[in-house]
Amino acid sequence: MDWKRLVQFALLGGGDLEQYAILLVRVSIGLFFAISGANKLFVAGGVKRVYETLVQAKVPFPHRMAYFVSGVEFVGGSLLVVGFLSSPACVALLIDMIVAILTTTLSTLPKGLSPWNWLDGFLYLPEVLYVLFFIWLICSGPGKFSADYWLAGKLLR
């Protein structure tokens, strides 16, 4: 057994697997948002639920925003799946999730929690995890298995 390689993996991770991790996260989160947006846009009553949520949150122009948010999720998620314009798609979806957190999700946390319990509840929210994934994907790039990587290779020769 190669102890040095084992210790290196335990302390530094497997750099040779990084591209597969990026691919897995990018495609998974992309599929989630593409399907979610498609269900809102193309399934009867989908936009209505978004509209009602936006009205309850007192978001301006709720009818237009319901279509806009659903479109951002569908288009942004679809772009992430293939890895095309990944960073702009992540930025759009990141903003979408920050607005969701501020307008609706924060109100679901119980009132009167200690700071540690509030932080625990906040970090448990799925939208917060999505924000962290988007930040990671913006910083790491879409990976070698993406249309962006191929396109950059063609354009930056």
Side-chain angles (χ1 to χ4, degrees):
M1 175 173 263
D2 185 2
W3 288 103
K4 184 177 179 182
R5 186 167 165 93
L6 182 62
V7 170
Q8 182 179 2
F9 181 80
L11 296 177
L12 302 175
D16 50 338
L17 300 175
E18 182 179 23
Q19 294 302 316
Y20 298 103
I22 292 170
L23 175 67
L24 178 65
V25 170
R26 181 177 50 78
V27 170
S28 298
I29 202 165
L31 279 172
F32 171 77
F33 277 94
I35 292 167
S36 176
N39 283 334
K40 292 170 185 168
L41 289 171
F42 307 122
V43 174
V47 172
K48 183 179 179 193
R49 289 191 313 268
V50 178
Y51 170 78
E52 291 167 353
T53 301
L54 295 174
V55 167
Q56 187 176 14
K58 297 182 173 106
V59 172
F61 313 109
H63 191 355
R64 289 185 184 142
M65 290 304 290
Y67 282 98
F68 178 75
V69 167
S70 302
V72 165
E73 290 181 8
F74 176 66
V75 173
S78 298
L79 290 171
L80 279 181
V81 169
V82 295
F84 181 63
L85 299 174
S86 300
S87 289
C90 282
V91 169
L93 289 164
L94 173 74
I95 293 168
D96 182 47
M97 288 297 98
I98 290 172
V99 171
I101 290 167
L102 295 175
T103 58
T104 58
T105 311
L106 277 181
S107 65
T108 65
L109 291 175
K111 307 293 182 238
L113 294 174
S114 71
W116 287 114
N117 285 336
W118 185 90
L119 183 60
D120 178 55
F122 178 74
L123 293 174
Y124 195 76
L125 298 171
E127 293 84 356
V128 173
L129 183 60
Y130 302 144
V131 165
L132 295 173
F133 276 135
F134 293 135
I135 291 169
W136 177 61
L137 285 170
I138 290 167
C139 294
S140 72
K144 290 182 178 180
F145 306 113
S146 66
D148 289 337
Y149 185 84
W150 175 84
L151 187 59
K154 295 290 184 190
L155 294 175
L156 301 176
R157 281 189 188 172

